[in-house]
Amino acid sequence: MLWSLLKIVLFVAAVAALTLGAGYVMESQGGIQITVGGMEFTLGPLQSVIALIVLVLVLWLVFKLVALLIALLKFINGDDTALSRYFDRNRERKGYEALSQGMLALASGEGKLAMAKAQKAERYLHKPEVTALLTAQAAEMSGDTRKAEEVYKMLITREDTRFVGIRGMMKQKLAKGDTDTALKLAERAFALKPKHEEVQDTLLRLQAQKHDWQGARRTLNAKLKHGALPRDVYKRRDAVLALSEAKDIISDDKPIEAREAAIAASKGSPDLIPAASMAARSYVAQGKPKLAVRVLKKAWSVEPHPDLAAAFAEIEPDETPAERMKRFRLLTTSRPEHRETRLLKAELALAAEDFPEARRALGDLITTEPDVRVLTIMAAIERGEGANEAVVRGWLAKALTAPRGPQWVCDNCNHIHSEWTPVCENCEAFDTLSWKRPPQSESGVVAGSEMLPLIVGALEDKVSEPPEEPVAEILTPEPPTAAGEAAAEATEVPDPSATDVEIEKAK
């Protein structure tokens, strides 16, 4: 409203100034005297002003006629578009002005204004390869997905805008959750522009979601070929894809191919823990335990992990606890100060009923990293050393509310996974899982798959029923994960609670 009032005031002031100027001119004396061919013309003040205005208009008209004459001469000399350019020059100026205004409106978040300016620019320019894209983006900003889809379909029909149309449609389908159509569009866009990084990443992610591991590896090779991926990252992700392919092959009852794929994945990326575990089990199935030990030692030296210890235990499932402690020195001598190494040594000592050694192995983890696993081991140590029930219950009470410790966490969305997967279950990002503590640890729950079933072998004394004591009930863990079940089956431990009975007997 203030701006409207200001414009009215300015208009009135301009009219007043012109009226005042005209009054001065009419009242003034003198004028202009013009002599042409012996004839003399005398113009008064008002006539002089009018003559000046007429002269300006005549000069403008002369310049226009000269420009038209030049365009006509160019047309006669063979320039077929000279005349059309002359007449379209003003139209193009208006069109590009509307286009620039539309782009500014789009950048400002004014979708409807941007659509209006795009339509105006199209009327003047007749260049859909420019104005249609602005219209589609403005329609998306305004929430008019139907209009945006129509524009993208129109762009697909043109050779010079096909990639832009396919890419826009791909994003539309992804937003709607239609991943099947989005995958086909991503493949077409990749065929048109294989160097486009966004299309490469989208295609790789969709192929991984659909378990098209061979297609994903081809896309990954293209990223490496076109310089969109460092070689070390390529090796890691190629190993992830090879491992994922191996897991699918195992589910299809093709063990030979799975073994080869798992071994290749382990060689490609030694720090990929699931690949090392699967490769080791493949070597064990082939009767090559030394190669399995070599793979697990290399992976343990890079990143100690409970799954590696479980696979190492499966190499000799029937050994005694003392023999197991001796054999596991191949792992525990590497990275001896690492948290996982110390926990492994404590669990091995518990299995051998060497409780003082188990306490020494834990060291200061009770105060520096008191998670569920550490506190549960400490409760078992106290029971094995003959502590009273109050002490054992105290450690178990702490374990019930302690953090879970390291888990498979997505680096992109911090979603926690029970086991490793190539694609995040929450945000569907590819190769983003890391073994680490969650940013916000959950309340601890005793996890049996993280305890002794991973490392103890076949025990001589089998207890059919656990004692009906409160401590035994608290020590009874959750159902093991898939990895824990496989390790427990390989080591022939009937139930995790049997370990508590063994400790009770030692007491």
Side-chain angles (χ1 to χ4, degrees):
M1 183 175 181
L2 183 61
W3 175 241
S4 299
L5 180 62
L6 182 60
K7 289 192 292 185
I8 293 172
V9 171
L10 291 175
F11 175 76
V12 172
V15 171
L18 290 173
T19 304
L20 183 61
Y24 280 133
V25 170
M26 293 179 67
E27 293 176 358
S28 62
Q29 300 295 326
I32 300 175
Q33 188 175 18
I34 304 173
T35 303
V36 179
M39 297 180 64
E40 190 175 281
F41 299 94
T42 302
L43 301 177
L46 182 59
Q47 294 172 334
S48 301
V49 172
I50 295 174
L52 181 61
I53 295 174
V54 171
L55 178 61
V56 171
L57 292 175
V58 169
L59 290 175
W60 176 82
L61 183 59
V62 168
F63 285 133
K64 287 291 184 179
L65 291 174
V66 170
L68 177 59
L69 181 60
I70 294 173
L72 181 61
L73 292 175
K74 289 183 177 180
F75 178 77
I76 295 172
N77 289 331
D79 190 350
D80 297 335
T81 61
L83 288 176
S84 61
R85 289 201 310 271
Y86 172 78
F87 289 110
D88 292 343
R89 190 171 300 163
N90 188 46
R91 179 183 293 271
E92 288 182 356
R93 180 183 60 79
K94 293 181 179 179
Y96 283 118
E97 182 179 354
L99 182 63
S100 62
Q101 292 174 354
M103 294 176 68
L104 290 174
L106 185 65
S108 302
E110 300 174 282
K112 293 183 178 179
L113 178 59
M115 287 184 64
K117 294 297 182 181
Q119 292 173 0
K120 181 179 179 182
E122 175 59 24
R123 286 199 306 269
Y124 286 118
L125 296 177
H126 302 292
K127 291 186 176 181
E129 66 275 10
V130 178
T131 57
L133 181 59
L134 179 60
T135 302
Q137 292 179 346
E140 287 180 342
M141 182 175 292
S142 303
D144 190 354
T145 56
R146 184 187 61 80
K147 176 65 175 178
E149 189 169 337
E150 289 177 359
V151 175
Y152 285 133
K153 287 181 179 179
M154 184 270 292
L155 290 174
I156 292 176
T157 60
R158 294 175 57 92
E159 184 70 27
D160 53 345
T161 60
R162 184 163 298 158
F163 175 80
V164 176
I166 292 175
R167 178 175 172 270
M169 284 292 296
M170 178 185 70
K171 289 188 174 183
Q172 290 273 311
K173 297 302 180 182
L174 284 175
K176 293 180 180 179
D178 187 359
T179 54
D180 292 333
T181 306
L183 176 59
K184 295 178 181 178
L185 291 169
E187 291 173 346
R188 289 184 61 186
F190 180 74
L192 291 173
K193 286 192 176 182
K195 295 183 180 180
H196 198 279
E197 291 189 25
E198 181 190 18
V199 173
Q200 291 174 348
D201 294 337
T202 303
L203 178 59
L204 180 62
R205 177 167 58 86
L206 291 172
Q207 287 172 330
Q209 291 177 16
K210 300 298 182 182
H211 289 202
D212 182 10
W213 309 120
Q214 293 185 358
R217 294 183 80 173
R218 288 193 297 269
T219 305
L220 198 67
N221 286 329
K223 287 178 67 67
L224 177 67
K225 177 182 177 182
H226 298 300
L229 199 66
R231 184 165 291 277
D232 56 340
V233 178
Y234 163 77
K235 289 183 178 180
R236 156 80 186 189
R237 294 189 176 178
D238 187 64
V240 169
L241 294 173
L243 173 63
S244 304
E245 185 178 4
K247 294 176 71 175
D248 282 0
I249 291 174
I250 286 178
S251 63
D252 293 338
D253 297 328
K254 298 177 181 178
I256 297 177
E257 293 87 347
R259 292 172 187 170
E260 294 176 352
I263 292 170
S266 177
K267 290 179 179 179
S269 184
D271 62 334
L272 188 57
I273 294 167
S277 302
M278 186 180 291
R281 292 185 174 97
S282 300
Y283 280 130
V284 171
Q286 297 176 42
K288 301 176 181 179
K290 291 184 178 180
L291 294 178
V293 170
R294 184 184 303 173
V295 169
L296 293 173
K297 280 183 62 178
K298 186 174 182 180
W300 189 273
S301 65
V302 176
E303 183 62 38
H305 192 275
D307 289 351
L308 300 177
F312 197 82
E314 294 177 21
I315 297 176
E316 296 290 344
D318 298 325
E319 60 190 350
T320 63
E323 293 172 342
R324 178 149 293 181
M325 281 191 69
K326 181 178 180 181
R327 187 173 64 86
F328 261 79
R329 288 173 187 166
L330 293 171
L331 290 187
T332 56
T333 53
S334 176
R335 306 286 295 275
E337 298 302 320
H338 193 276
R339 175 185 183 278
E340 189 57 44
T341 302
R342 295 165 67 180
L343 290 176
L344 176 60
K345 291 171 69 175
E347 292 175 345
L348 288 167
L350 279 178
E353 301 183 0
D354 188 351
F355 304 110
E357 176 61 26
R359 185 185 292 272
R360 285 192 295 271
L362 279 184
D364 61 349
L365 290 179
I366 301 170
T367 56
T368 58
E369 302 180 45
D371 57 22
V372 173
R373 190 176 173 195
V374 172
L375 295 174
T376 309
I377 291 176
M378 192 62 201
I381 293 173
E382 293 287 1
R383 165 169 284 192
E385 291 182 341
N388 57 48
E389 290 296 322
V391 175
V392 176
R393 289 181 184 225
W395 288 110
L396 291 175
K398 291 181 180 180
L400 289 174
T401 57
R404 288 287 301 272
Q407 300 175 72
W408 289 113
V409 182
C410 176
D411 296 330
N412 189 41
C413 66
N414 293 323
H415 182 71
I416 301 173
H417 297 69
S418 59
E419 61 181 4
W420 179 89
T421 58
V423 179
C424 176
E425 299 171 353
N426 184 49
C427 66
E428 298 183 342
F430 174 69
D431 188 29
T432 56
L433 266 64
S434 300
W435 181 256
K436 62 181 182 180
R437 290 181 178 83
Q440 295 180 351
S441 300
E442 300 175 345
S443 298
V445 181
V446 180
S449 61
E450 298 174 355
M451 282 297 297
L452 299 178
L454 293 176
I455 58 171
V456 297
L459 302 178
E460 296 179 0
D461 297 331
K462 306 289 184 178
V463 180
S464 58
E465 295 182 359
E468 296 182 359
E469 294 182 15
V471 175
E473 293 176 1
I474 297 176
L475 281 173
T476 303
E478 296 177 339
T481 60
E485 290 177 351
E489 182 180 358
T491 53
E492 300 181 3
V493 178
D495 191 277
S497 61
T499 302
D500 303 333
V501 179
E502 295 296 331
I503 296 173
E504 185 65 27
K505 289 183 67 178
K507 175 180 174 184

